[in-house]
Amino acid sequence: MRLLFLGDIVGRPGREAVRDAIPRFVEKHQPDFLVANAENAAGGVGLTPELAMELFSLGLDVLTLGNHAFSKKEITSILDSELRVIRPLNFPPGVPGRGYTVVERNGVRLGVVNLLGRVFSEVHLDCPFRAADAALSALVTKADFVIVDFHADATSEKAALGFYLDGRAGAVIGTHTHVQTADERILPKGTAFITDAGMCGPVDSVIGMRPADSIQRFLTQIPERLEVAGGKAMVQGVLVDWNDAGRPTNIERVAMRP
Ligand SMILES: [Fe+2]
Ligand SMILES: [Fe+2]
């Protein structure tokens, strides 16, 4: 079985690049499941119900979120009913939506867990490590293969969660930095891991946003709004393969440049 996971989709350029890339990826790699992080899909921050449906129409099976999960308030209207959109599990109890889900294809059940890191985080969250334990326990009889989208800033926190879940999760895939890392590998006890899957968004940008806006923010320290950059967009992600026993056999980076 094969999963294609795409890093954070940023704004319209990212959505259009994903729309163009998916048929080509599907033809070339024939993934059984397609999952993407969509926390930046709507104007660079958040996700709306309409854009979630647009992304599902492209063939995506599950959309994960992150620190921008609730940046577009409209999303809360579908988080309790739409099982294919998940937000980080370690938000406080009572927050709308769910932090993990299961999708099935050809009799194989893929579990997807979304967690948010705490290092450099502006929101105070429950422990992602303990939340991961709870999710894996809940999914043990419900899924044949479980991937974790760990949406976090610090490489150390991501690597630590990878090793913490090594041999228990099928894959731990980092998101949030929008920069694809070159450390994809199978960890000693068998979990597929990458620190960050990268971004689907504008190439000439500061993590998806207009460079001039970002530079101005750094120069003035005034939190001006950042606009999604224009120009051509790239698509980045990873392929994860596993065998009939549910053991990961390969993880590799994929990228499509304009
Ligand atoms: Fe992001
Ligand atoms: Fe993020």
Side-chain angles (χ1 to χ4, degrees):
M1 300 298 286
R2 175 170 280 177
L3 159 78
L4 172 63
F5 182 98
L6 299 177
D8 304 35
I9 300 170
V10 182
R12 181 182 295 275
R15 300 195 312 269
E16 291 181 350
V18 166
R19 185 193 64 207
D20 294 343
I22 281 180
R24 293 154 68 190
F25 276 134
V26 166
E27 188 183 355
K28 186 172 179 193
H29 300 293
Q30 309 204 327
D32 301 285
F33 297 99
L34 281 79
V35 178
N37 185 294
E39 71 142 10
N40 307 104
V45 283
L47 176 68
T48 62
E50 293 73 23
L51 291 180
M53 296 313 137
E54 178 187 311
L55 292 169
F56 288 133
S57 75
L58 305 179
L60 288 158
D61 297 300
V62 175
L63 299 174
T64 57
L65 293 167
N67 53 308
H68 292 301
F70 298 101
S71 296
K72 296 282 186 288
K73 297 282 172 276
E74 311 93 283
I75 198 66
T76 55
S77 67
I78 65 161
L79 280 180
D80 283 328
S81 57
E82 176 52 76
L83 305 181
R84 299 173 296 172
V85 181
I86 58 173
R87 48 80 176 162
L89 176 63
N90 50 329
F91 271 104
V95 167
R98 71 209 71 236
Y100 54 84
T101 194
V102 178
V103 283
E104 188 168 341
R105 173 85 19 91
N106 301 327
V108 174
R109 301 165 302 170
L110 175 72
V112 184
V113 182
N114 194 193
L115 294 166
L116 195 47
R118 295 197 291 188
V119 178
F120 308 131
S121 174
E122 289 159 9
V123 277
H124 296 273
L125 302 153
D126 294 343
C127 173
F129 290 72
R130 292 176 178 89
D133 288 337
L136 290 177
S137 299
L139 288 169
V140 74
T141 58
K142 296 188 177 76
D144 305 299
F145 193 80
V146 176
I147 64 157
V148 175
D149 169 357
F150 190 28
H151 195 83
D153 210 78
T155 52
S156 59
E157 191 178 19
K158 289 158 138 176
L161 188 80
F163 279 96
Y164 184 67
L165 299 181
D166 189 14
R168 297 195 286 148
V172 175
I173 300 167
T175 58
H176 174 69
T177 72
H178 296 199
V179 178
Q180 192 178 57
T181 57
D183 62 339
E184 77 282 9
R185 64 202 189 277
I186 305 284
L187 297 176
K189 292 179 186 166
T191 293
F193 175 80
I194 187 168
T195 298
D196 207 293
M199 165 180 85
C200 304
V203 176
D204 291 323
S205 72
V206 175
I207 62 170
M209 312 313 270
R210 254 186 345 210
D213 298 349
S214 182
I215 291 166
Q216 198 59 17
R217 246 202 207 196
F218 281 106
L219 286 175
T220 65
Q221 298 300 313
I222 298 169
E224 303 277 5
R225 192 176 144 71
L226 302 171
E227 296 291 337
V228 174
K232 297 203 160 142
M234 62 189 175
V235 171
Q236 294 178 321
V238 287
L239 292 167
V240 177
D241 294 326
W242 65 97
N243 62 21
D244 290 344
R247 301 280 293 175
T249 54
N250 191 46
I251 176 167
E252 64 183 75
R253 280 174 282 143
V254 289
M256 209 165 270
R257 289 197 159 261

